[in-house]
Amino acid sequence: MSFPKTLDMRPFTKSGQSQQEEDSANNDEFIYELTGVVVHSGTASSGHYWCLIRRPETDEWIECNDSNITSFDESRLAEVNETHTHTHTLTQFVTIGCYTFFYLWSS
């Protein structure tokens, strides 16, 4: 699954569906920017969560993982989103993937 860094919500609004391509000049009010991601690693019954947060004033991404707050390279967002599965035990699998996305209205 992929996710956009910029999300245009206009096609999902009543006005966007009725106008479709008539008035593309006023699309800014429907634009949202990715500002945070919650990541999960583990199984359906247990695991660990951490988050990635974009600082709007600097566009810098940071990783918050327990007490560790570190800089995060934006180019690794797609890598984190790929679900990685490997054997944890003979019957259990561990996955890592994005769990929740947060978007901030850009206007």
Side-chain angles (χ1 to χ4, degrees), residues 43-45 85-94:
T43 65
S45 60
T85 306
H86 59 277
T87 304
H88 183 61
T89 66
L90 290 176
T91 59
Q92 198 171 33
F93 293 91
V94 175

Side-chain angles (χ1 to χ4, degrees), residues 15-87:
S15 64
Q17 289 183 359
S18 64
Q19 293 177 351
Q20 291 186 352
E21 294 183 19
E22 289 177 22
D23 182 22
S24 61
N26 196 19
N27 279 347
D28 288 350
E29 66 183 292
F30 299 101
I31 303 297
Y32 292 78
E33 300 291 330
L34 182 66
T35 191
V37 180
V38 175
V39 183
H40 176 261
S41 64
T43 65
S45 60
S46 68
H48 178 70
Y49 294 89
W50 69 95
C51 64
L52 304 169
I53 301 168
R54 181 179 61 87
R55 300 180 67 184
E57 61 277 356
T58 63
D59 263 355
E60 173 193 17
W61 282 86
I62 55 174
E63 179 178 357
C64 303
N65 192 342
D66 293 333
S67 63
N68 298 321
I69 310 296
T70 57
S71 185
F72 184 83
D73 184 356
E74 181 181 355
S75 66
R76 292 184 51 220
L77 281 172
E79 172 190 322
V80 171
N81 190 46
E82 295 173 6
T83 301
H84 305 282
T85 306
H86 59 277
T87 304

